Amino acid sequence: MLLKFADWLVFEIFKFSNESLIGKALSFFIYDTVKILLLLFVLIFLIGVIRSYLPQSTLRKWLNKTGIKAYFFAALFGAVTPFCSCSSIPIFIGMIEAGIPLGVVFSFLITSPILNEYLVVLMAGQFGLTIAVLYVISGMTIGIVSGIILGKMKLEKYINDDLVTADNENSFNDTEYPDIMSRIKYGYNESMSITKKIWMWVVIGV
């Protein structure tokens, strides 16, 4: 439906020729931009609802540890959560808002799309347990080492000021949600807020 909409807009409304390379490029641009924004909005909404169930104060306590423990727990959290790279972004932003060190948060973000339970099970079935274990160790190592390196680079100054709210107790906390509608509302507000912040970068990326 999105592809038909993009073609209709470009070739019927904008009157580009069906054989025009510019028209085809514009159609692809519109199609891909709308598709990615919709996917991001839905994923961030769903992850927002899931976040309302997470024991976030415990997670914050773990990830605020000092030394390599913090990077290990962040990478481990990334490994056991079933999030792809796109759906990890709202968790990443929530951690930044909570004041968790940037390097530690990057350990989560890097490890999250690399490792997950069903992938490990599939690899063990297809290639054997040894390969699966080595893959897990490699993924964890990549996340931990990358997080440590990025943490040493002191990149906090490049973070959007809106996200640097380490002392904001309303961010990434254990807010009570009395019913499913309040959780849905939280997910919707989270999705709208984050999508407004990143839509321009999606357009530039496409």
Side-chain angles (χ1 to χ4, degrees):
M1 289 179 65
L2 285 177
L3 186 58
K4 289 181 179 179
F5 168 76
D7 286 343
W8 170 78
L9 191 63
V10 171
F11 301 122
E12 299 294 330
I13 302 301
F14 296 159
K15 304 299 183 182
F16 280 91
S17 167
N18 289 339
E19 303 301 320
S20 167
L21 293 178
I22 295 178
K24 291 178 180 178
L26 182 60
S27 175
F28 169 79
F29 173 78
I30 294 172
Y31 162 72
D32 226 36
T33 301
V34 174
K35 177 185 71 175
I36 292 173
L37 286 173
L38 282 174
L39 283 173
L40 276 175
F41 184 87
V42 172
L43 283 172
I44 293 170
F45 167 76
L46 292 174
I47 297 303
V49 174
I50 292 172
R51 273 183 60 189
S52 70
Y53 289 96
L54 293 176
Q56 295 173 2
S57 60
T58 303
L59 179 62
R60 181 174 181 174
K61 181 180 177 181
W62 284 354
L63 299 185
N64 270 328
K65 291 179 181 292
T66 57
I68 197 170
K69 286 183 180 179
Y71 296 96
F72 173 78
F73 278 118
L76 183 64
F77 180 60
V80 300
T81 49
F83 302 142
C84 66
S85 54
C86 288
S87 52
S88 296
I89 291 173
I91 303 291
F92 174 84
I93 292 174
M95 290 178 176
I96 293 295
E97 290 177 338
I100 295 170
L102 185 60
V104 175
V105 181
F106 268 119
S107 285
F108 160 78
L109 185 66
I110 292 167
T111 308
S112 182
I114 295 177
L115 296 175
N116 54 63
E117 298 87 343
Y118 49 87
L119 177 59
V120 172
V121 171
L122 286 174
M123 290 193 70
Q126 292 293 321
F127 305 109
L129 185 60
T130 301
I131 296 295
V133 170
L134 289 174
Y135 178 77
V136 171
I137 293 173
S138 299
M140 289 286 292
T141 302
I142 290 170
I144 292 169
V145 173
S146 299
I148 292 172
I149 292 172
L150 289 166
K152 296 290 186 183
M153 293 173 67
K154 305 296 182 183
L155 301 175
E156 285 82 0
K157 60 185 177 182
Y158 298 108
I159 300 176
N160 190 307
D161 291 338
D162 293 339
L163 300 181
V164 185
T165 54
D167 296 325
N168 184 357
E169 293 301 324
N170 293 321
S171 297
F172 208 63
N173 58 15
D174 282 328
T175 304
E176 292 292 334
Y177 299 96
D179 52 43
I180 186 63
M181 290 307 300
S182 63
R183 298 181 188 276
I184 290 174
K185 183 179 179 180
Y186 171 77
Y188 173 79
N189 291 336
E190 185 87 344
S191 187
M192 284 295 292
S193 174
I194 295 174
T195 303
K196 286 178 180 178
K197 292 176 183 176
I198 66 176
W199 72 267
M200 182 177 65
W201 302 109
V202 172
V203 172
I204 291 172
V206 176

